[in-house]
Amino acid sequence: MHIGTGFLFHVASKAPDPQGFAQQASLIEQAETLGFESIWTSDHAFSRHQTSPNAAQLLAWLAGKTRHALIGSIVSLEAWHNPVRVAESLAALDLLSEGRVMFGVGRGLGPIDFDGYQGVSAEPCARITEYVRAIAGALETGVLSSPGPLYQQPPVTIYPRANLSFQGRMYAMIDSTASARAMAALGFGPLLMANKPWEAVLREAREYAELYESIHGRAGPRPVLLSLTSVDADPACARAWHDTYAAPYGCRTIDQGRPTDAYGTGRAQGVYQSLRFMTDLQLHGTPRQVVEASVERVRSLDAAAMINILSMDGMPAEVARRNLLTYARDVLPRLKAVDAHRTIGHSMAQPAASVMSL
């Protein structure tokens, strides 16, 4: 199966930013050599919790550091960006990386990602959908346009134009029924994290697959599963890392996202509940335990790939390195030998279409 890793530029609380970035960069530069088939990052701002303010910039850096691994955005916050600039930047990056870009979108943590931007706020799903529709269309046709009502853009030709189709290379974090329908209609696959009871995650994945097929008349991209993963030969050590670093991730996400402000008290309770499940369901244990749990989850979800976050919020550099190297040595080869048909980016050999109906 396809196994990737993600780096969200969590900077340990006592480390200065230059040191934290250097530590993350050192780990990222090893990822392809260690055998990871894709490397991912994200958009987040105004916090040392995730100091990755421009996913496209980091992906461009990654393109120059790698030769074969796919490079992708876990979440690109389109409310920050002009869609024309996003489409042109993605097309240019895809040409420079020879078709290795994976495009992932989402809505962000909440106000923390928007408060510092004058005139930019957390956008409703409808506006984000119009942005993403325009970008996806431009990547296929070379022309970006949007009829509104929330985003109006007369047709404009983007330069450069993507040479290869992005179909099968676009994923979205799904947070509502409305966003599921919108992203399925645009051809996006689901990027999932276990943030609710596993049975509910499985049900939502099935519902998304059925929705996609009902819209397009064909099966859609299999899900990609994202996990905060702690692994060590000593199960007590892996558990301690999980408790110390993976579990507080949810608490800090609550603090940074301020769900009560973003969603209101009722929905905020659901956010807190989701984050509790997210903490409980992240993978941890010995290499054998992590392999077995990964295979079980990927197969039950019928996922195409698994992306592991191995350097977590507040994790010292030496612990992050040990976690990464242990996974690469004792888990990664065993998982890559299982279910070779589970992969992503499979449509990249196809040229971009001359016309795309959205």
Side-chain angles (χ1 to χ4, degrees), residues 19-36:
Q19 180 183 338
F21 257 69
Q23 291 168 353
Q24 289 284 290
S26 175
L27 296 178
I28 292 172
E29 288 184 271
Q30 298 179 60
E32 182 179 67
T33 302
L34 290 172
F36 290 97

Side-chain angles (χ1 to χ4, degrees), residues 74-106:
I74 297 172
V75 171
S76 176
L77 299 182
E78 301 317 319
W80 289 359
H81 311 294
N82 183 293
V84 176
R85 296 291 290 166
V86 173
E88 290 189 332
S89 297
L90 284 172
L93 179 58
D94 205 48
L95 291 174
L96 291 171
S97 66
E98 298 181 329
R100 294 189 284 130
V101 176
M102 308 293 290
F103 179 38
V105 301

Side-chain angles (χ1 to χ4, degrees), residues 2-19:
H2 180 108
I3 301 295
T5 185
F7 293 89
L8 303 181
F9 283 82
H10 298 148
V11 177
S13 57
K14 296 181 180 179
D17 287 345
Q19 180 183 338

Side-chain angles (χ1 to χ4, degrees), residues 53-77:
N54 191 331
Q57 179 187 42
L58 294 173
L59 293 180
W61 176 79
L62 262 175
K65 295 290 185 179
T66 55
R67 290 294 177 267
H68 307 292
L70 303 180
I71 53 176
S73 57
I74 297 172
V75 171
S76 176
L77 299 182

